[in-house]
Amino acid sequence: MEKVLNFLRTSAIEFALFKHDPVFTVEEAKATRGAIEGLHCKNLFLRNQKGNRHFLVIFPADKPVDMKTLAPKLGINRISFASAERLKKYLDLNPGSVSVFGLLNDVDKKVELFLDSSVLQAETVTFHPNDNAATVALAQDQFKKVLVSLNRDYIELP
């Protein structure tokens, strides 16, 4: 979490930090949100069938995701969730802590980023700061600064 907070501070990105009990699923997160306002996001770390491409796909937490229809949007035939080992290797994260901030650890830029259009249009978005016992809330203009500061291309999903 400290690496994320340092990144936000050194990039002059305004944020609100909320600490809470660790959560591992969207359902658990719903129970701990309390006063945390904004679009809560789910972050899926996925891979193609061959395992030679990896994706971080970010959706609103409450949006259902159909993996069969998502795959062609990513430009591939089939996708699946990447293993905990791959998550550790590519984003240096543990399950339950996946977020856009994991890209800080992807120095070789091996993970492709896809963002649901709702995430890019929400007034405020929330993510774990690579630690599932906290949530960071960002106004949309600050989230866009995060994307610029990460120096990462992304594809917007309709």
Side-chain angles (χ1 to χ4, degrees):
M1 177 167 37
E2 287 307 312
K3 182 176 184 177
V4 172
L5 299 180
N6 288 337
F7 162 76
L8 292 170
R9 290 179 186 121
T10 59
S11 301
I13 295 169
E14 297 173 20
F15 64 96
L17 177 66
F18 302 89
K19 294 189 177 184
H20 49 72
D21 290 335
V23 295
F24 294 91
T25 66
V26 170
E27 293 306 315
E28 288 178 4
K30 283 181 185 180
T32 62
R33 284 185 193 149
I36 304 173
E37 294 187 19
L39 178 70
H40 301 283
C41 297
K42 64 179 158 191
N43 304 267
L44 307 179
F45 185 57
L46 308 170
R47 58 170 272 197
N48 69 346
Q49 189 173 6
K50 290 182 181 180
N52 61 350
R53 288 179 67 193
H54 295 83
F55 311 92
L56 177 60
V57 187
I58 302 174
F59 289 99
D62 294 330
K63 184 172 184 172
V65 177
D66 179 350
M67 300 288 267
K68 288 182 182 179
T69 60
L70 178 58
K73 293 177 184 177
L74 304 183
I76 57 177
N77 293 329
R78 290 182 52 193
I79 55 171
S80 62
F81 286 97
S83 66
E85 292 80 15
R86 286 176 186 267
L87 177 59
K88 192 69 170 169
K89 177 181 177 180
Y90 289 96
L91 296 179
D92 194 25
L93 297 176
N94 296 313
S97 300
V98 181
S99 83
V100 68
F101 299 116
L103 295 175
L104 287 168
N105 302 324
D106 181 27
V107 293
D108 295 328
K109 298 185 179 183
K110 299 279 187 185
V111 177
E112 300 171 47
L113 177 61
F114 289 80
L115 301 168
D116 185 82
S117 60
S118 301
V119 174
L120 293 166
Q121 295 166 6
E123 189 175 315
T124 303
V125 291
T126 69
F127 300 95
H128 291 306
N130 293 349
D131 181 335
N132 63 349
T135 297
V136 168
L138 301 157
Q140 187 60 231
D141 63 326
Q142 300 304 298
F143 177 56
K144 298 247 170 87
K145 283 176 73 174
V146 166
L147 296 174
V148 169
S149 295
L150 286 171
N151 191 28
R152 299 297 293 257
D153 293 329
Y154 64 87
I155 295 176
E156 182 176 350
L157 298 171

